Amino acid sequence: MSRPRDREPEEDAEHAAHQVGFECWGEALTQDATGAAALTAHSEGMIACDACGTVWRDACDGEACARCDAILHSRKPYSIQRTWAFVIAACILYLPANLLPVMVTTTLIDEQRDTIMSGIIYFWVNGEWELAAVVFIASFLVPLFKLSAMILMLLSAQYGSTWRLLQRARLYRIVEFIGRWSMLDVFVVSLLAGLVQIQGFATITPGPGVAAFGSVVVLTMLASISFDPRLAWDHLQKDSEIMEMESDCYE
């Protein structure tokens, strides 16, 4: 497997200057997102190593980083396909996660099976509106929002849409940030299962819905990690280049 060529000390100094320059130009470059072709690392033939962060000029996908021997990729390999696989699996498990019981309470009298929605209704009926709202948002709305957002970003990137690129970039950062906060029900059930274990009187055990719900959360997190938001900006760059070529032809 080929490697990017080794640099001389003078080239290293020039490379460092280029890195500083790109950091200083970052604000000005990102402002040009409405149609004019912007200078990007991808358009300049640069690839950053995901493992050590070294930026290589004139490198190709599949080459080995000469610094840490990791494989270089300008974009995440098979990003669309992998993300779709995770999203579809999460959508399939979303229904059993909400329909199957997440907690089974066994007492001397009877056995009670609670789903996510039954727990929300229980808190609401007993006047615990704040807690009901927290569980409803964290356990029902947040996974649904993440799935909807990922489907929107996938379709937009797959079909080359340049609609509201900045808003979609912010949406992706929101999905990444809130991913870890969707495990509220899993944490609560795990805590109760560990604390309430009075043999002969009352026991709390996790239900099958916990496994489905935890799988949905993990799959949506993997989907956000697999998705490469730079794909949307690549389409903007291609559209800008096409517009420039058409303008040159008319001239």
Side-chain angles (χ1 to χ4, degrees):
M1 185 175 292
S2 59
R3 295 171 177 266
R5 62 185 181 86
D6 296 332
R7 296 188 181 87
E8 298 296 331
E10 294 80 4
E11 292 180 276
D12 288 335
E14 181 183 358
H15 172 64
H18 275 293
Q19 285 184 323
V20 173
F22 275 114
E23 292 176 359
C24 296
W25 297 340
E27 182 178 356
L29 289 175
T30 53
Q31 290 177 355
D32 192 10
T34 57
L39 181 63
T40 62
H42 185 65
S43 63
E44 292 297 305
M46 296 181 180
I47 299 179
C49 177
D50 294 331
C52 65
T54 306
V55 179
W56 298 99
R57 185 186 292 274
D58 298 328
C60 299
D61 284 301
E63 290 183 345
C65 175
R67 185 180 185 184
C68 67
D69 205 36
I71 303 301
L72 298 177
H73 296 289
S74 59
R75 296 293 181 265
K76 294 179 181 179
Y78 305 105
S79 173
I80 298 294
Q81 294 87 338
R82 290 179 178 178
T83 308
W84 268 122
F86 289 130
V87 169
I88 292 174
C91 290
I92 294 174
L93 291 173
Y94 184 74
L95 287 178
N98 287 276
L99 297 177
L100 295 178
V102 296
M103 185 172 62
V104 180
T105 305
T106 305
T107 62
L108 290 173
I109 302 174
D110 61 355
E111 181 182 90
Q112 182 176 351
R113 297 175 176 267
D114 294 306
T115 63
I116 294 177
M117 291 306 299
S118 68
I120 295 171
I121 295 172
Y122 173 80
F123 289 131
W124 185 271
V125 171
N126 286 272
E128 300 291 341
W129 302 327
E130 297 85 357
L131 188 56
V134 170
V135 176
F136 179 73
I137 293 173
S139 302
F140 184 80
L141 286 185
V142 168
L144 184 61
F145 166 75
K146 288 163 58 180
L147 289 174
S148 303
M150 290 305 305
I151 291 174
L152 172 63
M153 290 185 289
L154 276 169
L155 291 175
S156 301
Q158 188 170 356
Y159 290 101
S161 173
T162 56
W163 172 74
R164 295 188 178 274
L165 284 172
L166 185 57
Q167 288 76 7
R168 281 158 50 192
R170 291 173 179 170
L171 180 63
Y172 175 75
R173 292 194 293 270
I174 292 173
V175 170
E176 275 196 318
F177 176 76
I178 65 176
R180 70 200 74 174
W181 302 108
S182 302
M183 298 287 283
L184 179 63
D185 277 10
V186 178
F187 293 150
V188 171
V189 173
S190 301
L191 181 62
L192 291 176
L195 293 177
V196 184
Q197 293 294 337
I198 306 174
Q199 296 296 332
F201 292 95
T203 57
I204 293 179
T205 55
V210 171
F213 184 80
S215 299
V216 171
V217 175
V218 172
L219 287 170
T220 52
M221 293 176 66
L222 291 175
S224 63
I225 294 173
S226 301
F227 182 71
D228 196 336
R230 296 173 296 181
L231 295 173
W233 300 95
D234 289 343
H235 292 298
L236 177 65
Q237 186 74 22
K238 292 177 182 178
D239 291 345
S240 301
E241 293 174 355
I242 293 174
M243 291 176 62
E244 290 181 357
M245 291 176 60
E246 290 178 350
S247 62
D248 292 339
C249 291
Y250 285 124
E251 290 178 359

